[in-house]
Amino acid sequence: MISHPNSLSTRPSGAMPRPGGGVVSAGGAETPFVELRSIAKSFGPVEAIKDVSLKLRSGRVHTILGENGAGKSTLMKILAGVHVPTRGEVLLRGEPVTFATPSESQAAGISIIYQELSLATNLSVAENIFAGHEPRRFGIVDFKALMRRARDLLDDLGIDIHPHTPVARLSMAQRQLVEIAKGLSRDADLVIMDEPTSSLSDRDAEVLFDIVMKLKARGTAVVYISHRMDEIMRISDDISVMRDGQYICTHDKNGTTIGALINLMVGREMSGAYLPRTTALDARRSPLLEVRNLTIEGKFHDISFSVRPGEIFGFFGLIGAGRSDVMNALFGIGRPDGQIVMDGKPLRLRSPENAISAGIAFVTEDRKHEGLVLMHSIAQNVTMASFERKGARFGILDRRFEERETHDAIDRMKIRTAGPHQAVGDLSGGNQQKVVFSKWLSLRPRVLILDEPTRGVDVGAKFEIYRVMRELADAGTAIVLVSSELPEVLAMSDRLAVMREKRLVKEFDTTGLTQETVMSYATGASQA
């Protein structure tokens, strides 16, 4: 168990019961810390998971693999006490249990780190980490002890963030690290990590992998959910595959391959991780979008580049390099110096409304807070950006337009849903991302900005997003792609800009470009 002051040093081994919570039966066989038997969960008429059985053992990393909508997160929320199963049984150390609330799950030694951040942006890092279990003195929160414990935990985890910092000032990657620290702030015998590296750089991901290995060495059971196949093969002991809400199989990591797992997960052959360009880019065409000496003091400096019709122009850089700030400025967020030019004419972008009117669309990095209204339906979200221009008459929404656009979006993006009026908040993360795409595609944009478009998205959903990107590029849309996944941005981009320390330091044609060359400029090993 992780006990305060939150040291992750290795536990002694060889005792029974095991330090991680497993027990040994009279016959010598270890009882799993948690066993799920024939678990099912329905939401109204929709059966999210059905007859899933798993054994989670102490001291092992058990990966749950599946497409978005396969039921992984629902299954984990049952363990976390968020949902009660419709049928089936949960055994803890061999004894049946029911978690009616998250606090009951936490008291049993289960901690979960969610993919979707649950931080209060108006509070400090320390207040978020210990929310709900703050150190108290005479019934009052002891802020001195709170800050000390947060600092000790962050130092122990190797996270370089000051505990006094308001979460509102942190980047998405830093917030993800705070979410991880929050999940590890409680004593836990089972730690569930749902897409923990989705916003992390390679450097920060290494910090996380080190934490996972320490937890494993202490005898803690770790459930790991990720769509990044390389990291799954690196840290997993056991890999279970789910598809369409059902359990498919479990493999020892050494007894399977990435290709075999992908085929099990999607239920079909995948022809390749990325879709190649099928039509030649006309390099003689004039740029559609030009950015000249764009600067916002303290955020980015002297950014210049151009994008032709039909071109995918990539951006890569380490966390804090300033990529997302540049994208925000292109969408009318902030007041930069310099020029943004479209079709040879300067644009005056003082708001996102100006950018949308100019034909610019923006799939943001944070779909939950900036891309969607989670309580609204798929139909309302899909037509949110376009109904005033295309689907309204005298200020009244044309329901036929809404129905047509929504059904087209569901078919085009292969959104898994019970219907167009299902609340977006009830969809999986990957299907939510498809709704964000659909919202902007209904505008038929001339320039599409994509900031981490496949973050937290499974390989099947990624394939659909790549397909739509290629279709848009073939039709003449200029695409600006920001991605922390270097293989992705290299494979999908025609040209690539590398940012470092708020500046664009190098621009490449991606033909023959290697990851090593890009990283050398992103880290400063090579000078522009």
Side-chain angles (χ1 to χ4, degrees):
M1 296 167 62
I2 301 177
S3 57
H4 301 306
N6 304 301
S7 172
L8 287 174
S9 57
T10 304
R11 286 177 172 156
S13 61
M16 294 189 297
R18 287 185 54 164
V23 295
V24 178
S25 66
E30 183 190 342
T31 300
F33 176 67
V34 169
E35 183 176 359
L36 306 174
R37 293 181 177 173
S38 302
I39 294 292
K41 179 62 181 177
S42 297
F43 298 95
V46 178
E47 195 169 27
I49 53 176
K50 40 201 169 187
D51 298 321
V52 175
S53 297
L54 285 175
K55 295 179 179 180
L56 307 176
R57 303 185 184 279
S58 302
R60 294 181 71 83
V61 179
H62 196 129
T63 292
I64 311 294
L65 188 62
E67 290 190 271
N68 290 111
K72 308 182 301 295
S73 294
T74 300
L75 190 66
M76 294 305 103
K77 286 179 180 178
I78 288 173
L79 281 178
V82 176
H83 299 318
V84 175
T86 305
R87 62 178 182 273
E89 189 175 41
V90 178
L91 278 69
L92 180 70
R93 300 183 180 92
E95 298 294 328
V97 294
T98 299
F99 301 133
T101 65
S103 60
E104 290 182 7
S105 172
Q106 291 163 4
I110 297 174
S111 179
I112 185 166
I113 300 166
Y114 289 106
Q115 174 189 356
E116 301 293 351
L117 304 182
S118 58
L119 305 177
T121 57
N122 61 317
L123 299 181
S124 69
V125 168
E127 289 170 308
N128 272 278
I129 288 174
F130 289 101
H133 61 119
E134 303 89 345
R136 294 178 179 271
R137 189 176 184 185
F138 307 118
I140 301 172
V141 174
D142 185 342
F143 281 97
K144 186 175 180 179
L146 176 74
M147 293 298 166
R148 183 180 66 252
R149 288 189 179 184
R151 179 71 277 167
D152 289 345
L153 178 59
L154 292 167
D155 287 345
D156 202 33
L157 297 178
I159 298 173
D160 185 20
I161 300 174
H162 198 283
H164 286 279
T165 305
V167 165
R169 297 182 185 176
L170 302 181
S171 67
M172 280 295 294
Q174 289 172 316
R175 294 182 191 190
Q176 183 72 65
L177 290 171
V178 173
E179 189 76 39
I180 290 168
K182 178 180 177 181
L184 296 176
S185 67
R186 296 179 181 270
D187 291 351
D189 292 314
L190 170 64
V191 176
I192 301 167
M193 299 184 175
D194 191 354
E195 294 286 351
T197 62
S198 59
S199 298
L200 300 184
S201 68
D202 290 343
R203 185 180 304 171
D204 289 327
E206 290 297 326
V207 173
L208 176 68
F209 298 153
D210 184 55
I211 293 168
V212 170
M213 292 301 104
K214 289 176 181 176
L215 290 169
K216 175 182 171 181
R218 294 186 56 163
T220 303
V222 178
V223 174
Y224 198 85
I225 297 175
S226 177
H227 298 304
R228 297 183 176 181
M229 303 303 294
D230 290 340
E231 71 184 42
I232 286 171
M233 298 302 287
R234 173 178 171 180
I235 70 169
S236 302
D237 295 303
D238 307 302
I239 303 174
S240 292
V241 179
M242 291 182 66
R243 186 171 70 239
D244 297 329
Q246 293 182 298
Y247 169 82
I248 302 301
C249 62
T250 297
H251 285 292
D252 182 278
K253 183 264 301 284
N254 296 321
T256 189
T257 65
I258 291 176
L261 290 170
I262 289 175
N263 290 339
L264 285 168
M265 181 172 66
V266 301
R268 60 189 185 274
E269 293 288 336
M270 300 291 288
S271 59
Y274 305 102
L275 289 176
R277 175 178 284 280
T278 57
T279 59
L281 181 67
D282 188 353
R284 298 170 299 177
R285 297 188 69 176
S286 299
L288 174 58
L289 177 71
E290 296 178 84
V291 176
R292 301 172 182 170
N293 309 115
L294 209 64
T295 299
I296 294 181
E297 196 61 38
K299 292 190 174 181
F300 54 83
H301 303 276
D302 198 26
I303 305 296
S304 298
F305 64 94
S306 63
V307 190
R308 301 181 187 92
E311 184 177 27
I312 300 178
F313 188 87
F315 267 82
F316 182 79
L318 302 181
I319 290 173
R323 301 166 303 165
S324 292
D325 289 325
V326 174
M327 301 306 117
N328 286 338
L330 295 181
F331 197 59
I333 302 171
R335 298 293 178 89
D337 295 322
Q339 276 191 324
I340 301 172
V341 177
M342 187 178 288
D343 289 325
K345 299 177 182 178
L347 295 179
R348 184 179 176 85
L349 301 181
R350 296 303 187 191
S351 69
E353 185 178 5
N354 297 153
I356 293 169
S357 297
I360 300 173
F362 185 19
V363 175
T364 65
E365 180 182 16
D366 186 355
R367 63 175 171 259
K368 182 177 179 181
H369 295 101
E370 299 174 352
L372 298 166
V373 180
L374 297 179
M375 68 181 68
H376 285 184
S377 68
I378 295 171
Q380 289 170 307
N381 276 275
V382 165
T383 57
M384 183 189 304
S386 59
F387 84 89
E388 287 188 352
R389 291 171 173 79
K390 297 186 175 185
R393 190 172 185 182
F394 306 116
I396 300 174
L397 175 64
D398 182 345
R399 294 295 179 184
R400 289 175 299 178
F401 166 82
E402 181 183 68
E403 183 176 346
R404 182 177 66 252
E405 289 291 314
T406 305
H407 282 291
D408 286 350
I410 291 171
D411 291 342
R412 182 178 191 181
M413 295 300 301
K414 295 180 172 59
I415 300 170
R416 294 187 179 185
T417 173
H421 301 294
Q422 183 179 6
V424 168
D426 293 337
L427 300 178
S428 67
N431 284 299
Q432 288 179 1
Q433 188 73 341
K434 292 178 182 181
V435 174
V436 177
F437 258 80
S438 300
K439 175 181 72 174
W440 293 117
L441 296 185
S442 67
L443 278 174
R444 281 63 168 175
R446 301 187 67 206
V447 176
L448 178 61
I449 303 167
L450 303 175
D451 193 356
E452 303 288 1
T454 63
R455 182 174 71 85
V457 169
D458 66 73
V459 292
K462 283 183 179 181
F463 195 83
E464 300 302 332
I465 290 172
Y466 297 149
R467 177 181 57 78
V468 171
M469 287 173 62
R470 288 299 185 202
E471 288 177 0
L472 292 171
D474 289 345
T477 302
I479 297 176
V480 181
L481 170 64
V482 175
S483 177
S484 297
E485 294 192 34
L486 189 47
E488 173 180 85
V489 76
L490 279 175
M492 294 302 297
S493 302
D494 301 297
R495 286 183 296 138
L496 178 66
V498 179
M499 289 190 68
R500 185 180 73 246
E501 297 176 356
K502 318 296 186 183
R503 297 180 182 274
L504 196 161
V505 295
K506 189 70 174 179
E507 184 180 304
F508 295 98
D509 185 297
T510 55
T511 303
L513 183 61
T514 65
Q515 296 185 43
E516 291 76 14
T517 299
V518 175
M519 285 301 299
S520 70
Y521 282 92
T523 59
S526 291
Q527 299 299 317

